[in-house]
Amino acid sequence: LFRWFNTVIIITLVTPFTDTLTNGGEYLIGAIYAIFFTETLKNPIIQLADISGTLKRHLLGPRAPDQSRMNLNFKGGYWTLAERYTELTKSMFLAYYYSAIFPQGFFFSFIELSVKYWTDKFCLLRSWAPAPRLGTQIAHFSQTYFFTGAVLLFGLISSYLWAGFPFDNACGMYPI
């Protein structure tokens, strides 16, 4: 919830209502585009760079005093399935939340999810440590609660955004 709030909701709270549909990088539409662009590139580049793993394998591993300590440097990076789910659902939540004013967000979300899929697949097979055996609880929880909540928020926020269109506060300017 913390990642979803920081990525999606906080920019709505800090953007003035009348700047919702204004073009430009400092307004809401530009900020949404920047978030999609950044999330598509930043995390996969950091994952693929694997700076700590590279340092362990090429610098610390060969200089280890014995075989057991050297083997510890070649284990692979730590990862959790919950973190991967959070990254994927954050992208989907961003597309759902702003779909009424930024419908191309679904396309950007598709691109982001595709890049993350291939990056995670590469890291899972090449650089991450094997994960412990997990059941299907995380998948069922995400399917039951996240997707239901995301669709409900999709409808609620879309109705709010359509009700506020054209975001000019015209009703507040002329009291009855």
Side-chain angles (χ1 to χ4, degrees):
L1 291 176
F2 183 73
R3 287 185 188 189
W4 299 337
F5 184 79
N6 279 346
T7 304
V8 178
I9 298 170
I10 201 80
I11 60 171
T12 303
L13 297 176
V14 299
T15 303
F17 182 74
T18 55
D19 292 340
T20 302
L21 291 181
T22 308
N23 287 329
E26 66 272 4
Y27 301 111
L28 186 61
I29 299 295
I32 296 168
Y33 174 76
I35 289 172
F36 271 118
F37 186 75
T38 304
E39 290 292 326
T40 301
L41 295 178
K42 177 189 62 118
N43 289 342
I45 288 173
I46 291 172
Q47 273 180 252
L48 291 174
D50 190 23
I51 296 169
S52 67
T54 304
L55 287 175
K56 286 180 181 178
R57 284 189 298 273
H58 296 288
L59 191 66
L60 300 176
R63 290 164 180 78
D66 59 9
Q67 185 67 38
S68 63
R69 290 185 205 170
M70 185 177 81
N71 290 346
L72 291 175
N73 290 316
F74 288 92
K75 285 175 56 172
Y78 177 75
W79 64 281
T80 61
L81 187 59
E83 181 183 349
R84 305 310 330 139
Y85 260 104
T86 304
E87 287 292 323
L88 298 177
T89 56
K90 180 175 63 171
S91 173
M92 294 175 61
F93 187 64
L94 183 64
Y96 285 160
Y97 194 87
Y98 293 112
S99 64
I101 59 172
F102 195 72
Q104 62 268 36
F106 287 114
F107 178 70
F108 287 128
S109 181
F110 166 74
I111 292 172
E112 181 180 346
L113 292 174
S114 298
V115 168
K116 285 183 179 182
Y117 168 77
W118 288 105
T119 304
D120 286 350
K121 183 177 178 180
F122 175 81
C123 290
L124 185 63
L125 296 175
R126 297 288 180 184
S127 63
W128 286 341
R133 296 277 182 206
L134 299 171
T136 59
Q137 293 89 1
I138 294 176
H140 288 297
F141 180 82
S142 181
Q143 184 179 9
T144 303
Y145 296 107
F146 167 73
F147 291 116
T148 304
V151 169
L152 290 174
L153 276 174
F154 165 65
L156 181 71
I157 297 301
S158 292
S159 65
Y160 170 75
L161 291 173
W162 280 107
F165 192 77
F167 302 101
D168 58 359
N169 276 343
C171 294
M173 292 171 48
Y174 304 107
I176 297 176

